[in-house]
Amino acid sequence: MPISISKRHLLLLLLVLLLSKSNSANPNPSDKLTHIRFYFHDIIRGRNRTDVRVTKPAVASPAAFGMITVMDDPLTEAPDPKSRLVGRAQGFYAAADQNELSLLMAMNLAFTAGEYNGSVLSVLGRNQPFYPVREMPVIGGSGAFRFARGYAEARTHSFSRDVAVVEYNVYLMHI
Ligand SMILES: *[C@@H]1O[C@H](CO)[C@@H](O)[C@H](O)[C@H]1NC(C)=O
Ligand SMILES: *[C@@H]1O[C@H](CO)[C@@H](O)[C@H](O)[C@H]1NC(C)=O
């Protein structure tokens, strides 16, 4: 009898160990949750233009379907373009919806100052620029952002004929 009790205890112990192991694997306690905020400046006209239109829209319409633009846009700490530069958004956006303006964004957020200097986040998502909030997945990163996953929220801060300033809030899990 004492032997069967200890066997039962052993089984229970194994079960507890197994359960606690599967719990600790998700989420990993060493993962960090990081929030980063910056302002993206897309200058679409003038001498200081930061993007180049590669293809024109296939047809003249507000959806601009078929337009592809490559950008190298400054990212700053505050909405003021003269505030501290923290990085650059490098990549392209393509108008990929036939009915409304909706962009496929494919870009690297390359940090060039501050604690993330040298680290990069890769974003791939859908951006409807006239919507109040657009959510785009962060699909990976390098440097401080190895194994990163998360999302970016974009909100237009101001928009003129020449420049769009967009507030980005990025939420990440990484090691
Ligand atoms: C271009 O940038 C420079 C330096 O920030 C600024 O002095 C100048 O006014 C800008 N030019 C235009 C056309 O925005
Ligand atoms: C960012 O890192 C690069 C490469 O290490 C370095 O040359 C540069 O001075 C750094 N920039 C800032 C603002 O710290």
Side-chain angles (χ1 to χ4, degrees), residues 96-149:
D97 186 314
Q98 297 189 67
N99 298 307
E100 62 171 333
L101 185 64
S102 174
L103 307 172
L104 161 70
M105 304 289 288
M107 62 181 174
N108 289 318
L109 304 172
F111 292 89
T112 56
E115 62 176 312
Y116 304 120
N117 186 11
S119 298
V120 180
L121 286 173
S122 298
V123 173
L124 181 71
R126 185 175 194 226
N127 181 7
Q128 293 148 293
F130 295 121
Y131 283 43
V133 186
R134 293 87 71 183
E135 183 182 323
M136 289 170 264
V138 174
I139 60 170
S142 68
F145 303 123
R146 286 175 181 164
F147 293 114
R149 58 200 189 283

Side-chain angles (χ1 to χ4, degrees), residues 43 45-49 82 162:
I43 306 169
R45 270 188 200 85
R47 207 149 32 90
N48 297 333
R49 183 167 185 170
K82 292 189 174 65
D162 298 337

